[in-house]
Amino acid sequence: MASESKSQNPHGAFDAHHPPARELIDTCVHCGFCLPACPTYALWGQEMDSPRGRIYLMKLALDGHVQMNEKWVSHFDSCLGCVACMPACPSGVDYGKLIEATRAQIERNYRRPAAEKLHRKLLFATFTKPARLNLLRWPLLAYQKTGLQFVLRALGLFKLLPKSIEAMDALLPKVRHVEAVPTITPATGGKRRRVGLLLGCVQRTFFSHVNAATLRVLAAEGCEVIAPPEQTCCGALFVHAGEETQAQELARKTIDAFEQANVETIVINAAGCGSNVKEYGHLLRDDPVYAQRAKNFSAKCRDISELLAELPARAERKPLNVRVAFHDSCHLQHAQGVRAQPRSLLAQIPGLQLAEIPEAPICCGSAGIYNLVQPQAANELGDRKAQLIAPLQPDVVATGNPGCLLQLQASLDRAGHHIPVVHTIQLLDASLRALPLDSLR
Ligand code: SF4
Ligand code: SF4
């Protein structure tokens, strides 16, 4: 990348509001151990699309040697934010904080082309509003049930449209009946814990069966579950895309909703939301009213698999004779460090056979809105994952994030392997209720 004249601004190309921290940038010793872990480096082999290259680009901008131009921004747009580079780094570079700060700077200071801006706005205006997502259910149901989707796909019409439209169609969830989530679900047997359930946006609209399965398992394991009806989006998509102000506003609302519920633990069954709410303390660090409350909130948050691993199993697991390929969501394995817990939950089910997917640390290409704004790279990563899953010949693929679930299903279908992809908790729920695998489709 060509250097440009050094600016007088002490933060270089960045503004004064939390530029990527120099002390974090300087912890990178350029060793390159993170390169093999990085999906975009694996795809393109370009230094500037690796963690080391991106950190170098941040440093150049901080020192005022480059401006936020299209080329510079493109290397950060192509980053999945999967943070697979963090566990691979022997120097402990906190790339997650660096990319979050850089993205917020880009959204404040870089003028995106109008069409791109509009596309992003539309995505946020839809995916972070459960009420709007709900309105989409009926037209989507008609689109799927009348056979229109099948015909358009069979005719190959999407190949003539922009890649982002084709990606959106491929990723559409199957519209199902919405399973209601009561505000209070009592524990079965003696109560062991009072927990709150974060409902998610896409999760509550298109995966209400996953929330229902989560409730059943929690109740069977002795948890009273509170699902505050006033909870909004947690802000995960905004944080991951650098839209800091909106993310903070939603974080405050989420904290308010759960403080009133007075719960010991807050359970999350969508890894992208989980990694976000666990970082509220950082997101609201400058807010005198919410900073401490945010830290307290984050300290209570657990992925569903983490909570169940903390509670010795009480409900009887009945046999489920299936071969399961487990996919680690990046926001679970890298951002939250949760790898063992979902596997141990699955291992509790008699008859279940676990198959490990090679290259587990590599992202499937979902990554928030990445597969909608960077469809080509996302498809390449999805295709790669499908090729690794197919030889395992699983009956089902399990994962802990709705975004990964949709991405894997679309990738497997595109490759002609119609293997169902489900949430991990659905398998445990099926085992507790002695349901066959077919009931999950
Ligand atoms: S977050 Fe993921 S895509 Fe981005 S640099 Fe790190 S490993 Fe690569
Ligand atoms: S592994 Fe860590 S220290 Fe080494 S280049 Fe990557 S980020 Fe820098």
Side-chain angles (χ1 to χ4, degrees), residues 346-363:
L346 292 172
Q348 291 169 2
I349 301 174
L352 187 146
Q353 237 188 27
L354 191 60
E356 291 290 345
I357 304 172
E359 293 187 9
I362 296 277
C363 180

Side-chain angles (χ1 to χ4, degrees), residues 37-41 49-51 54 78-85 95 99:
C38 175
T40 54
Y41 186 75
D49 287 311
S50 77
R54 290 180 176 120
S78 67
C79 170
L80 292 129
C82 64
V83 293
C85 41
Y95 182 85
I99 186 71

Side-chain angles (χ1 to χ4, degrees), residues 140-408:
L140 280 180
L141 187 67
Y143 176 58
Q144 291 174 352
K145 292 283 176 199
T146 56
L148 184 59
Q149 181 178 47
F150 176 80
V151 172
L152 293 183
R153 283 182 180 182
L155 291 174
L157 283 187
F158 288 108
K159 300 265 172 262
L160 308 174
L161 296 171
K163 275 253 173 275
S164 55
I165 307 274
E166 187 183 3
M168 214 177 272
D169 176 69
L171 292 164
L172 283 179
K174 184 171 146 195
V175 181
R176 301 161 179 256
H177 157 74
V178 174
E179 295 190 41
V181 171
T183 304
I184 302 179
T185 303
T188 306
K191 182 166 100 179
R192 295 204 278 185
R193 217 178 270 199
R194 178 177 161 94
V195 308
L197 178 65
L198 191 83
L199 296 173
C201 296
V202 171
Q203 192 89 299
R204 83 180 82 168
T205 314
F206 294 107
F207 295 96
S208 63
H209 54 290
V210 173
N211 281 344
T214 306
L215 280 181
R216 281 190 294 268
V217 172
L218 284 171
E221 288 299 344
C223 296
E224 177 187 35
V225 190
I226 314 296
E230 60 277 19
Q231 62 181 292
T232 56
C233 165
C234 72
L237 283 188
F238 284 122
V239 167
H240 299 149
E243 303 283 352
E244 188 186 15
T245 310
Q246 290 96 320
Q248 288 170 332
E249 199 178 305
L250 291 168
R252 290 185 194 102
K253 286 185 179 163
T254 306
I255 292 168
D256 289 345
F258 280 91
E259 275 180 350
Q260 284 168 22
N262 192 26
V263 293
E264 299 156 71
T265 306
I266 296 158
V267 181
I268 302 100
N269 60 8
C273 304
S275 70
N276 177 45
V277 294
K278 285 183 176 179
E279 291 294 329
Y280 273 180
H282 178 73
L283 181 67
L284 295 175
R285 63 197 180 284
D286 297 332
D287 185 325
V289 178
Y290 278 87
Q292 188 55 47
R293 290 162 64 189
K295 276 190 194 165
N296 299 345
F297 178 95
S298 294
K300 290 182 177 180
C301 292
R302 299 278 184 286
D303 182 70
I304 176 69
S305 64
E306 280 182 288
L307 173 66
L308 292 172
E310 282 174 22
L311 296 171
R314 192 163 83 175
E316 188 196 347
R317 273 74 172 146
K318 302 179 191 83
L320 201 56
N321 294 313
V322 287
R323 183 168 163 78
V324 180
F326 179 72
H327 166 73
D328 290 280
S329 149
C330 294
H331 283 112
L332 201 53
Q333 62 168 336
H334 304 311
Q336 300 182 57
V338 174
R339 289 193 86 248
Q341 296 89 331
R343 288 174 171 79
S344 70
L345 280 191
L346 292 172
Q348 291 169 2
I349 301 174
L352 187 146
Q353 237 188 27
L354 191 60
E356 291 290 345
I357 304 172
E359 293 187 9
I362 296 277
C363 180
C364 64
S366 170
I369 57 167
Y370 190 90
N371 48 6
L372 298 172
V373 294
Q374 302 274 337
Q376 191 142 346
N379 278 357
E380 285 180 45
L381 289 169
D383 291 345
R384 191 180 166 118
K385 209 46 104 178
Q387 279 168 20
L388 292 166
I389 292 173
L392 302 174
Q393 300 189 313
D395 301 305
V396 65
V397 178
T399 189
N401 192 44
C404 303
L405 197 154
L406 292 173
Q407 170 76 357
L408 290 173

